[in-house]
Amino acid sequence: MPTAIAVTGPDLVLPSPDRHTPSAAVLQCAVRSPRAYSLDQALTEMDTLIEHHGYVIVLCPASAPAAVAHRLHAVRSVLESDRIAVVRSELPPLGLAVLALQLRQLSVCDFSPGVLASAARLLSHYIYAGALLGSVTRLDRVPVTLQSHAKSWLPGAQFAVLATPRPELVKLPGGDGPGLTGPGFSTRMLYAPGRLAPGWVTDSLAPAWHVQGVAEARLPAESARWWATGKLVEFAAAIPDISVLYQLVSSVRRDDCHWCGLELIGDRCAFCAAPLPAAPDDRPAPDRALAARGTTALPRGTT
């Protein structure tokens, strides 16, 4: 069985694009309150996943309540298991759902659990996640100028916001083009409408970004809280082709964790959190190597 990809809410599970991509496990210990779902039940839930899959990679949004993260780490601690990776992510809800889908696709490949878990950090840099917002007055996850705050009070004001990989915010209409920096490689876009019409996302942003396809998704319940408004259309553009994702992850140098022995890419083990020892001067540091190889692996038009 492939390594299990687990998430902290049902809204983070996108439909499988084919019959080979497994679904994600929705952890009830993160969805339900401790009163409704005891620690014993949470331990049984996680132990069952480990028994069937060997390793479990849990994607937990950084915006999740502290109690959720504490519960996950408590389960890991009580089980005394080094087979559970809790990966915190700054991605917005729809972007995190896309990342979960990519890891699910890669879980059927020949990557070891350590490489697959640490690939979450790499793949996050290639997900362009943002939203069309009717207000930014309470938005605190992306830098907002005082001028933009003031314009939010104008009737009919709309803003295009990019959260990752680099925060951007533009007032609409903003002249020629969508105003947001798009990916330099082939992507597919998902959009999830809230209380705004999706026309600008589908008719302006998607063509400007040269996406290879556009599809509607269900708006995650967490989105309104993450973006601080229900007047939004959330979107995420990412690499849809599993062969390109495989090439991207394969191109990064692998190391063995000096603590738990698992393979990893990058500078930290996702399972035990041990950092990679400092590299010699004649060897590129993990982040630089990761960025350099990841960028060259994806020229525009790659499919």
Side-chain angles (χ1 to χ4, degrees):
M1 293 291 290
T3 298
I5 306 301
V7 293
T8 56
D11 294 330
L12 300 180
V13 184
L14 294 173
S16 299
D18 53 58
R19 62 186 181 87
H20 303 292
T21 301
S23 186
V26 180
L27 295 180
Q28 296 304 306
C29 67
V31 175
R32 301 166 65 178
S33 69
R35 291 185 177 181
Y37 203 75
S38 68
L39 180 59
D40 284 344
Q41 290 175 299
L43 294 172
T44 300
E45 176 185 38
M46 187 66 72
D47 192 53
T48 300
L49 284 175
I50 295 174
E51 183 179 347
H52 283 82
H53 297 272
Y55 290 84
V56 180
I57 300 170
V58 183
L59 288 179
C60 178
S63 60
V68 172
H70 292 163
R71 196 89 187 279
L72 292 173
H73 285 288
V75 168
R76 189 181 189 279
S77 178
V78 172
L79 288 176
E80 296 183 341
S81 175
D82 59 358
R83 295 174 177 264
I84 305 169
V86 179
V87 180
R88 304 297 299 272
S89 174
E90 297 287 349
L91 285 168
L94 187 60
L96 187 57
V98 170
L99 175 61
L101 176 59
Q102 291 180 331
L103 292 179
R104 288 159 50 196
Q105 290 178 288
L106 291 174
S107 70
V108 299
C109 300
D110 57 358
F111 293 123
S112 65
V115 169
L116 185 62
S118 50
R121 180 180 173 188
L122 168 65
L123 298 178
S124 295
H125 293 296
Y126 295 91
I127 296 176
Y128 282 66
L132 172 67
L133 304 178
S135 172
V136 293
T137 55
R138 295 185 296 162
L139 181 63
D140 60 2
R141 301 189 184 279
V142 176
V144 180
T145 64
L146 290 175
Q147 185 179 23
S148 295
H149 272 296
K151 289 181 179 179
S152 281
W153 296 99
L154 298 176
Q158 290 190 349
F159 299 84
V161 183
L162 191 65
T164 62
R166 293 169 297 276
E168 293 182 19
L169 185 151
V170 296
K171 172 75 167 59
L172 298 178
D176 296 334
L180 294 180
T181 303
F185 46 87
S186 295
T187 60
R188 180 174 181 267
M189 177 180 285
L190 289 180
Y191 70 94
R195 298 204 310 267
L196 285 181
W200 178 83
V201 174
T202 57
D203 301 337
S204 297
L205 184 65
W209 281 8
H210 305 288
V211 300
Q212 302 303 304
V214 180
E216 184 175 348
R218 181 178 61 179
L219 184 71
E222 176 71 7
S223 295
R225 189 170 75 90
W226 202 98
W227 294 102
T229 179
K231 297 176 62 177
L232 81 160
V233 180
E234 191 170 9
F235 57 83
I239 302 167
D241 192 333
I242 187 173
S243 64
V244 179
L245 294 173
Y246 183 90
Q247 175 191 1
L248 176 58
V249 177
S250 298
S251 68
V252 182
R253 188 194 68 234
R254 304 182 191 185
D255 291 281
D256 292 331
C257 177
H258 68 93
W259 184 260
C260 68
L262 290 176
E263 280 189 313
L264 61 89
I265 60 176
D267 61 0
R268 184 175 297 273
C269 178
F271 279 89
C272 70
L276 191 69
D281 293 340
D282 61 343
R283 183 185 187 190
D287 283 343
R288 293 198 299 273
L290 184 152
R293 298 187 186 184
T295 301
T296 56
L298 291 172
R300 177 178 287 278
T302 302
T303 56

